[in-house]
Amino acid sequence: MTTPSQTPTPLGSLPPREHLRPGQIETVLDVVIPVYNEEHDLEPCVRRLHDHLVRTFPYGFRITIADNASTDHTPRIAARLDDELDRVTAVRLEQKGRGRALRTVWSHSGAPVLAYMDVDLSTDLNALLPLVAPLISGHSDLAIGSRLSRSSRVVRGPKREFISRTYNLILRGSLAARFSDAQCGFKAIRGDVAARLLPMVEDTGWFFDTEMLVLAERAGLRIHEVPVDWVDDPDSTVHLVRTATDDLKGVWRVGRALATGALPLDRLARPFGDDPRDRELSGVPRGLARQVLGFAVVGALSTLLYLGLYSLFRLGVGPQLANAAALLVSALVNTSANRRLTFGVRGRERAVRHQAQGLVVFAIGLALTSGSLAALDAANRHPSHTSELTVLVAANLAATVLRFLLFRAWVFPERERREAAARPTDGAGPDPAAGPAGAAHDRNDLSRSAR
């Protein structure tokens, strides 16, 4: 299998999605079929898929058989299919792991759209073109087949149905996943997205695509779902208990990494708006709309936190002390949340300094509101309650605007946000097997055809 030269992906956000020009690209789609000891199903399934693509797919394609260190006759069959079918390529890896196979083949593929499907072809092949069409058009970044859509037609036993739905509920409850079906072996991704996303995915087994989807969704990439018709393979060799255990470990690992900000998801961000007119606007600071929205959400949640803390502290101390303690804690939380969520600064570097600057900003806002009340009291010894509220609303509005501007220009300036996005983050690297030594090993594995 020929491999294009691998060039480092530049840091920073992804470029806007663009419609692919199939006439200028020989191979638009690369469909990977990862296999392990599938000597009975491999040939009929590959021939069926090849025939379907020849008849129905309007662009250039390639089918790549990724053999995961099979010990039966699978390598021999894959080599024969490679010889007999001009659009089929066989790749041999000496280590097991579906995730490892997908990452290795996808990382070396020159196709702009990458897909994979299980060798049993449980999914109706008529869903393949709808799966990849949004990626070719530039509408979406990833696409998945969903067996849990209302319009899907699925034939499988109650045990697998229960496991699948339970697993997706766990993902929704623990990782706030919004996609409906993480386990369906029918997915696709744009090549430019894969180049950025795959180094962040650590798992090399069955949790690989779930981790890929969670990170993509958290980064704001667009995931397209296609309802599929699916018939369960009763002879599947997947070990359900071991797979479920590994998946739960993966959920815990990814959840912890997301909670601590250990993943540079900013590198996967798309610019706001893919319309060229959006990119030609001048005089609008980059990311301003998103930052204003994030600042407003954090501010609202901080206010609720302040009210809850004040009510709690008021049970044991006086109003002034309760107010000061609640304001201090909520200010610290507000600065930390804005640091990570609004301005995208992650890691521990300068965190203490940012908190100190946040307290200064908080003090300025407090002085502004307190000064406004003092000025009102000096002008009118007995102001009405309505006058006090009016002054407080105006002063808090001015303080909020001032706080946002100080956060953006002084506490988290543009230069620091760019440095944070470009800085390698602990825990954000690829799986050790994909490091310098592992990458060389994968390239060696990839070059071995099962001939």
Side-chain angles (χ1 to χ4, degrees):
M1 177 179 179
T2 59
T3 61
S5 60
Q6 299 298 299
T7 57
T9 304
L11 300 181
S13 61
L14 283 164
R17 287 183 295 266
E18 294 184 358
H19 184 91
L20 300 176
R21 294 174 173 79
Q24 301 176 3
I25 304 172
E26 181 179 356
T27 302
V28 172
L29 173 66
D30 191 351
V31 183
V32 180
I33 303 180
V35 293
Y36 174 71
N37 288 349
E38 297 286 356
E39 60 183 3
H40 298 296
D41 292 337
L42 178 58
E43 181 166 2
C45 290
V46 169
R47 290 189 180 278
R48 176 185 163 201
L49 173 60
H50 183 270
D51 178 67
H52 176 83
L53 289 172
V54 169
R55 289 186 296 102
T56 66
F57 197 69
Y59 311 115
F61 69 88
R62 177 173 60 243
I63 300 172
T64 302
I65 305 170
D67 176 23
N68 284 280
S70 294
T71 57
D72 61 0
H73 295 297
T74 297
R76 187 183 307 168
I77 297 172
R80 187 172 72 249
L81 291 170
D82 187 336
D83 290 337
E84 295 179 2
L85 302 175
D86 58 353
R87 298 184 184 182
V88 173
T89 300
V91 172
R92 168 76 175 183
L93 288 91
E94 299 301 336
Q95 291 178 286
K96 291 179 60 177
R98 183 183 67 170
R100 177 179 286 107
L102 292 176
R103 175 172 31 221
T104 303
V105 176
W106 281 354
S107 297
H108 291 81
S109 176
V113 177
L114 310 165
Y116 95 89
M117 61 179 60
D118 293 335
V119 69
D120 55 21
L121 299 187
S122 296
T123 305
D124 181 16
L125 294 179
N126 288 325
L128 182 56
L129 182 56
L131 182 80
V132 300
L135 309 187
I136 295 174
S137 70
H139 175 270
S140 300
D141 299 292
L142 297 92
I144 65 174
S146 175
R147 299 163 297 183
L148 303 182
S149 172
R150 291 185 178 181
S151 57
S152 299
R153 295 186 297 178
V154 177
V155 178
R156 61 176 168 181
K159 180 180 178 181
R160 282 183 173 269
E161 181 76 12
F162 173 78
I163 292 175
S164 179
R165 291 189 178 275
T166 301
Y167 180 63
N168 283 282
L169 286 175
I170 292 174
L171 292 180
R172 288 175 177 268
S174 59
L175 299 178
R178 295 189 298 272
F179 48 86
S180 65
D181 192 351
Q183 292 179 313
C184 183
F186 194 69
K187 296 182 176 71
I189 183 173
R190 283 180 64 103
D192 57 345
V193 176
R196 296 281 185 92
L197 180 55
L198 295 184
M200 300 184 194
V201 180
E202 293 187 20
D203 192 81
T204 59
W206 291 95
F207 187 69
F208 170 86
D209 42 352
T210 298
E211 183 174 355
M212 179 180 69
L213 289 173
V214 170
L215 299 186
E217 187 175 72
R218 284 298 186 94
L221 297 180
R222 184 173 294 160
I223 301 175
H224 177 72
E225 296 198 19
V226 178
V228 297
D229 297 341
W230 194 87
V231 180
D232 188 19
D233 178 13
D235 299 323
S236 175
T237 58
V238 178
H239 193 288
L240 295 180
V241 176
R242 183 173 62 246
T243 300
T245 302
D246 292 341
D247 286 348
L248 292 177
K249 292 179 181 177
V251 169
W252 168 257
R253 174 177 53 77
V254 172
R256 182 177 58 185
L258 291 173
T260 58
L263 294 167
L265 298 181
D266 290 345
R267 300 178 189 177
L268 298 172
R270 291 286 193 187
F272 178 76
D274 285 342
D275 191 305
R277 292 170 296 180
D278 296 335
R279 304 194 291 277
E280 292 169 0
L281 293 176
S282 60
V284 178
R286 184 173 62 181
L288 180 60
R290 181 186 61 80
Q291 290 173 2
V292 170
L293 178 61
F295 184 79
V297 172
V298 170
L301 295 177
S302 298
T303 301
L304 294 177
L305 175 64
Y306 159 76
L307 294 174
L309 290 174
Y310 177 80
S311 301
L312 179 63
F313 295 154
R314 190 66 181 84
L315 297 176
V317 298
Q320 291 292 344
L321 185 57
N323 178 61
L327 284 174
L328 178 61
V329 174
S330 59
L332 293 173
V333 174
N334 180 278
T335 300
S336 179
N338 276 309
R339 181 178 189 267
R340 176 174 298 174
L341 302 177
T342 304
F343 297 101
V345 179
R346 294 176 171 83
R348 298 179 180 178
E349 188 172 350
R350 302 190 183 114
V352 175
R353 194 196 75 182
H354 290 157
Q355 284 291 356
Q357 291 174 307
L359 289 176
V360 173
V361 173
F362 160 74
I364 294 173
L366 182 62
L368 182 60
T369 54
S370 299
S372 299
L373 284 177
L376 176 64
D377 186 66
N380 186 353
R381 287 294 180 183
H382 301 286
S384 66
H385 184 61
T386 302
S387 299
E388 288 183 347
L389 289 179
T390 302
V391 168
L392 278 176
V393 168
N396 273 289
L397 180 60
T400 299
V401 174
L402 178 62
R403 188 162 63 249
F404 175 76
L405 294 176
L406 287 174
F407 269 178
R408 181 179 173 86
W410 179 50
V411 183
F412 310 112
E414 177 69 21
R415 173 181 54 80
E416 286 193 14
R417 297 199 297 271
R418 287 198 301 266
E419 290 176 359
R423 188 184 305 118
T425 310
D426 292 341
D431 182 68
H441 185 270
D442 280 347
R443 284 193 293 270
N444 291 336
D445 285 344
L446 193 63
S447 65
R448 299 189 188 104
S449 175
R451 296 181 183 275

